[in-house]
Structure formats: structure tokens, C-alpha cells
């Protein structure tokens, strides 16, 4: 038995070595994410958006399919999904009065279910023509309507709230606008996506477009889709916002990342989100 | 007056000696900015002036904090775990490439293959938002190269032992 496995392994290695240097490698299987025995079912691939012009091939894939069985399973059980404890805290904060105006989120927005659909279209150009992430909208409410203090971009209270709001859109396809007033932000984000940063001179595209499906040491490169954010990362045993993830990735190119919440990262957020238009919001996902 | 004259003489003498020492070092080691590229994208001259040590090269190749070549490449006879496959396998690299070519690729892969994802290991400037190592803090160019001249030579010596 062991021997059989070993020779299979050897065959795998020799196959891998004889193959030409393929860059992107599409996942061989794309099962649905079946949560709580089918209460929620999320597809893990979608047709690639037209604006990509084939850069990722025909299909786009959730980062979930690039993770190991154990990590996948955690997201298929809301009780085992460590994000859910933070979602609960977010819902509690939603209903808690804070600030000088004596208001909670619920005072104006009623039940958190009213946020359904919000996550799918974030980030979005606001009435003043600025590109805002969900964090900006939350802090605008807090400071201007509630008389409460702004939360720091990737603070735990902020991530609890973005998680709780994201979960309301679970299963809805990502659908960020990239035209009209969003266009210049999207263009800038695209430029950032393809810029090779740091002493290692790596762009987002170098890993997540050219080499998704390949291994950097023990890390299985995904397409870098954002539909699962905020995520619970087993790696750091905590919740991680998208800008925190951007920051970590760019830091690891031996570069100076942009500030979380900066114009650059919001532009990048829009562009990367648009590469995942069509994938379902996973709300509170689990990643390695 | 005599004191000053003596001081100036001493200063000049010291400068000449220091200059000679630096000049001597420069003879032995080629600084990243002074690398001489030969016809056909090769670096013919040793960067350190000291022959590479393949055993040291193997360590640099596999060590995460040094070359970390293993993150992206497979060498079948290496005992490193989780060898990556973003780059091509380096089995037989010593048969496919000359030492001059290997030195060029290890030192500055993008000079040889402009679209390569591979970092340039012996380059100190021309970066976008360079950081101080992995701290995320900004760094001023010229940066320290990812590997020094002798480490490049060692890795080249190691790769040269990978024969088909």
C-alpha cells in the first residue's frame, strides 16, 4: 500500500517534471461549497468577466478550491467556521447604541438583513464621487450620524461589522461597477495590479494571474479572488480584512505597502473585486 | 603651520592607502552596478574572484532566509520539502547552461528573460516602493542585494553540479 502510494507519488513527480513550464493551472475539480448540509450552496467558479479578455482563461475560481480538505470543511459548517463568532459580535454591535446621538446601526437601518446586497457591490462610488469601501460607509455612519468614534480600518470591531454585513449577501454574485464614475478608479487599480513592487519585483498578476494553481513552496497560489473577504485565516488564527491581506502580500515582495484604507488600496480593491464579478459572496470564509 | 602641513600630508597618505584598499577590493569583487554583461547575456567574470563552493550553494539554495530558490524551483536530488513549481525544474541545469549563463540568470534573471517572475539577486536599485526587508518600512536605494557576490558564486557552483 505504502509502496503503491510512493510509486504513484514518483509518477506524479516525474509527470510534473516532464510537463512543459505551464503557467496557470486550472483546478481539476470545482465542487460547490455545501454549507450545513445544503442550507446554503455556493458555486466555486463562474465565467470570467469580459473585461479580463481571457487573462484568467474562461473561468474564475474561488480561493476555496485551492485550499486543503480540512480548511474547506470548516467553511461548510457554520458552527465549525471560526468567522461566525466574529459575525455574532458584529450583529451585537449593530444593535448596540454608541456615540453622542444615542443611536445604533439598527436605529436607522433596522435589522441587519436590510444590508443584503451591499457587500456584492463594494467598493462603490459615493454621492460625492469618491470611491468608498464598506469601511468608509460604516465610519461615515458612525462619525456623522451616531456621533461615535471612527473604527480603525482593520480593527476587530470593524472586521466584526464588515463580516456581519457581508454575510447578509452570502450567495449573491459579486457585481461591482467598473464603468461610469468608477472607471478612473478601476483603471488606477488595474495599473497597481500589474505593477511589480519591492525588491522581489512582484506584481499581483505575477502570482495570481500567471501562476495560479502553482506552488510557491507549500503555498498553493489562487487567483487572488476577493469574494470571500473578510476571511478567517487559520494561519494567523484571526479575521483578516482585504486591505490587511493586500498589505501583507505587498510587504512580502520586500516593498513598502500602501496604507490600509488609502486611495490606492481602494482602487485596487475595486479592480480585484471586478476580476471576481460573478463569483458568489462567501461572506465569512475560511482560508489557510 | 608645520603642524597643518604634516596633518595634510598624513591625510593625503591615509586617503591614498584607503583608496588603494578599496581599489584592491573592487578588483576582487564586482559591485552590482559594475557587472560586465557579455555577448549573449552572460556574465563571464566571477563576481567575487573566489571560486564558488557548491556545498554552500546548496544551503543558500534551500534556505528561506537566503536564496530560497526552492520556493519556486524543483531539484529532484535536493532533500528540501515542498519544492515550488512557479519556475522551471532545475534538474540538469548544469548541462543546459554554461557557468557564465547560470551566473547571469542568478544575478539578474530579468536581464536575460525580461518577463521572468524571478527576482534579481544581485541588483540594488530601480525598484518600485522598495521596503526594508519584510518589515513593510520604506528603504532607500541602493539596497543590499538579495545575495552577495560570493553567495551568487556558490549558488552558481551548486547549479553547475546538476547534470542531466
Amino acid at each position: 500500500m505504502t509502496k503503491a502510494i510512493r510509486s504513484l507519488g514518483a509518477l506524479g513527480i516525474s509527470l510534473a517534471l516532464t510537463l512543459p513550464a505551464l503557467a496557470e493551472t486550472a483546478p481539476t475539480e470545482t465542487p460547490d461549497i455545501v454549507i450545513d448540509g445544503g442550507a446554503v450552496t455556493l458555486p466555486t467558479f463562474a465565467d470570467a468577466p469580459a473585461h479580463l479578455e481571457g487573462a484568467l482563461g474562461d473561468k474564475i475560481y474561488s480561493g476555496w478550491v485551492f485550499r486543503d480538505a480540512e480548511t474547506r470543511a470548516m467553511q461548510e459548517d457554520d458552527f465549525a467556521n471560526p468567522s461566525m463568532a466574529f459575525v455574532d459580535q458584529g450583529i451585537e454591535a449593530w444593535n448596540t447604541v454608541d456615540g453622542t446621538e444615542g443611536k445604533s446601526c439598527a436605529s436607522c437601518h433596522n435589522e441587519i438583513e436590510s444590508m443584503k446586497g451591499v457587500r456584492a457591490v463594494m467598493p462603490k462610488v459615493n454621492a460625492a464621487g469618491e470611491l468608498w469601501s464598506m469601511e468608509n460607509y460604516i465610519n461615515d455612519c458612525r462619525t456623522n450620524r451616531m456621533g461615535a468614534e471612527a473604527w480603525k480600518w482593520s480593527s476587530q470591531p470593524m472586521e466584526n461589522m464588515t463580516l456581519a454585513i457581508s454575510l447578509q449577501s452570502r450567495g449573491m454574485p459579486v457585481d461591482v461597477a467598473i464603468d461610469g464614475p468608477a472607471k478612473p478608479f478601476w483603471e488606477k487599480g488595474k495599473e497597481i495590479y500589474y505593477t511589480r513592487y519591492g525588491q522581489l519585483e512582484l506584481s499581483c498578476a505575477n502570482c495570481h494571474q500567471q501562476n495560479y494553481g502553482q506552488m510557491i513552496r507549500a503555498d498553493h497560489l489562487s487567483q487572488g479572488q476577493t469574494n470571500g473577504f473578510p476571511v478567517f485565516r487559520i494561519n494567523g488564527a484571526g479575521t483578516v480584512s482585504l486591505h490587511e491581506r493586500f498589505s501583507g502580500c505587498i510587504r512580502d515582495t520586500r516593498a513598502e505597502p500602501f496604507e490600509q484604507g488609502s486611495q490606492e488600496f481602494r482602487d485596487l480593491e475595486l479592480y480585484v473585486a471586478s476580476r471576481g464579478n460573478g463569483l458568489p459572496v462567501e461572506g465569512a470564509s475560511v482560508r489557510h | 603651520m608645520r603642524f597643518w602641513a604634516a596633518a595634510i600630508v598624513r591625510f593625503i597618505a591615509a586617503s591614498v592607502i584607503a583608496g588603494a584598499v578599496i581599489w584592491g577590493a573592487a578588483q576582487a569583487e564586482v559591485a552590482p552596478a559594475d557587472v560586465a554583461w557579455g555577448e549573449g547575456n552572460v556574465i563571464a567574470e566571477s563576481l567575487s574572484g573566489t571560486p564558488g563552493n557548491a556545498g554552500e550553494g546548496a544551503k543558500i539554495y534551500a534556505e528561506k532566509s537566503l536564496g530560497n530558490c526552492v520556493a519556486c524551483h524543483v531539484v529532484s536530488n535536493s532533500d528540501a520539502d515542498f519544492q515550488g513549481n512557479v519556475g522551471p525544474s532545475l534538474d540538469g541545469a548544469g548541462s543546459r547552461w554554461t557557468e557564465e549563463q547560470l551566473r547571469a540568470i542568478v544575478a539578474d534573471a530579468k536581464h536575460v528573460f525580461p518577463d521572468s517572475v524571478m527576482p534579481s539577486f544581485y541588483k540594488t536599485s530601480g525598484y518600485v516602493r522598495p521596503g526594508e526587508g519584510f518589515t513593510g518600512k520604506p528603504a532607500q536605494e541602493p539596497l543590499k542585494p538579495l545575495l552577495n557576490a560570493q553567495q551568487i558564486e556558490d549558488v552558481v557552483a551548486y547549479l553547475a553540479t546538476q547534470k542531466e
Side-chain angles (χ1 to χ4, degrees):
Chain A
M1 183 63 195
T2 324
K3 211 172 169 189
I5 289 170
R6 213 178 287 147
S7 59
L8 269 178
L11 179 67
I13 288 169
S14 64
L15 276 177
L17 295 181
T18 50
L19 282 171
L22 278 179
E24 57 198 58
T25 307
T28 50
E29 34 103 45
T30 53
D32 290 340
I33 304 172
V34 181
I35 298 169
D36 291 351
V40 180
T41 300
L42 305 172
T44 53
F45 67 95
D47 288 335
H51 72 76
L52 280 173
E53 295 171 339
L56 288 174
D58 294 347
K59 301 279 183 229
I60 51 176
Y61 302 98
S62 163
W64 184 85
V65 300
F66 297 91
R67 302 282 68 91
D68 60 21
E70 202 181 326
T71 307
R72 288 183 182 192
M74 284 170 85
Q75 200 181 320
E76 293 193 303
D77 177 353
D78 276 351
F79 192 74
N81 181 341
S83 301
M84 291 303 164
F86 300 98
V87 168
D88 288 345
Q89 290 178 42
I91 294 172
E92 199 181 318
W94 178 270
N95 292 310
T96 303
V97 170
D98 195 3
T100 56
E101 304 304 306
K103 288 179 183 168
S104 69
C105 307
S107 307
C108 297
H109 298 290
N110 304 313
E111 298 300 312
I112 197 167
E113 286 78 2
S114 67
M115 292 291 110
K116 185 174 175 159
V118 169
R119 172 66 179 85
V121 298
M122 290 285 156
K124 189 182 152 174
V125 177
N126 70 10
E130 298 168 313
L131 181 70
W132 272 12
S133 301
M134 198 195 289
E135 286 88 344
N136 297 111
Y137 286 95
I138 291 170
N139 270 340
D140 181 55
C141 267
R142 286 184 59 76
T143 55
N144 292 326
R145 297 201 204 175
M146 296 166 68
E149 276 184 29
W151 282 325
K152 279 193 71 177
W153 197 270
S154 295
S155 63
Q156 194 61 57
M158 180 62 94
E159 290 181 2
N160 294 345
M161 188 58 75
T162 55
L163 271 165
I165 292 173
S166 295
L167 189 67
Q168 309 312 314
S169 301
R170 188 158 72 171
M172 295 177 70
V174 173
D175 186 23
V176 293
I178 65 172
D179 48 8
K183 189 81 191 287
F185 302 112
W186 184 83
E187 293 285 1
K188 188 71 214 311
K190 182 176 180 181
E191 188 189 316
I192 293 171
Y193 190 87
Y194 287 100
T195 299
R196 302 181 70 151
Y197 290 106
Q199 194 174 8
L200 301 185
E201 294 178 289
L202 292 170
S203 69
C204 308
N206 285 153
C207 288
H208 298 292
Q209 174 173 308
Q210 287 172 251
N211 284 296
Y212 73 83
Q214 307 291 83
M215 305 294 290
I216 287 197
R217 205 77 202 253
D219 285 334
H220 197 189
L221 291 172
S222 73
Q223 288 184 340
Q225 296 291 356
T226 60
N227 57 312
F229 277 83
V231 301
F232 183 90
R233 280 195 87 189
I234 297 170
N235 206 343
T239 56
V240 175
S241 75
L242 184 53
H243 289 203
E244 204 174 339
R245 193 71 192 90
F246 284 163
S247 185
C249 250
I250 295 182
R251 178 201 64 212
D252 288 347
T253 69
R254 300 175 78 103
E256 178 198 7
F258 299 101
E259 290 292 322
Q260 296 181 39
S262 63
Q263 185 68 54
E264 289 87 351
F265 270 178
R266 282 179 281 130
D267 295 346
L268 183 61
E269 178 181 346
L270 174 64
Y271 178 68
V272 183
S274 79
R275 294 172 69 97
N277 268 350
L279 286 173
V281 172
E282 291 180 24
S285 74
V286 185
R287 296 291 187 264
H288 184 64
Chain B
M1 192 61 197
R2 239 218 239 123
F3 170 78
W4 283 110
I8 288 166
V9 167
R10 240 180 283 135
F11 176 76
I12 290 169
S15 303
V16 167
I17 291 166
V21 169
I22 290 165
W23 185 77
Q27 282 294 292
E29 187 171 310
V30 181
D34 301 332
V35 171
W37 287 84
E39 194 95 13
N41 277 330
V42 300
I43 302 176
E45 216 180 312
S46 164
L47 298 176
S48 67
T50 304
N53 177 324
E56 283 303 309
K59 286 184 208 159
I60 296 161
Y61 177 91
E63 175 57 46
K64 193 177 173 191
S65 63
L66 295 171
N68 200 22
C69 314
V70 68
C72 294
H73 296 281
V74 168
V75 165
S76 300
N77 62 21
S78 163
D79 52 13
D81 292 333
F82 303 115
Q83 301 187 37
N85 62 358
V86 162
S89 162
L90 297 178
D91 285 349
S95 299
R96 282 197 300 284
W97 308 102
T98 65
E99 187 188 299
E100 301 181 339
Q101 290 172 320
L102 287 171
R103 182 179 293 114
I105 297 168
V106 176
D108 191 357
K110 286 187 280 291
H111 192 108
V112 183
F113 308 111
D115 295 331
S116 176
V117 169
M118 181 169 159
S120 298
F121 285 86
Y122 203 60
K123 193 176 109 170
T124 55
S125 61
Y127 297 110
V128 182
R129 296 180 72 86
E132 200 68 69
F134 295 107
T135 64
K137 298 203 172 74
Q140 289 303 314
E141 293 182 346
L143 308 180
K144 211 175 124 202
L146 294 169
L147 293 177
N148 66 33
Q150 190 56 46
Q151 288 170 325
I152 301 275
E153 293 302 323
D154 292 347
V155 171
V156 168
Y158 169 63
L159 293 175
T161 66
Q162 299 299 321
K163 297 288 188 189
E164 214 83 73

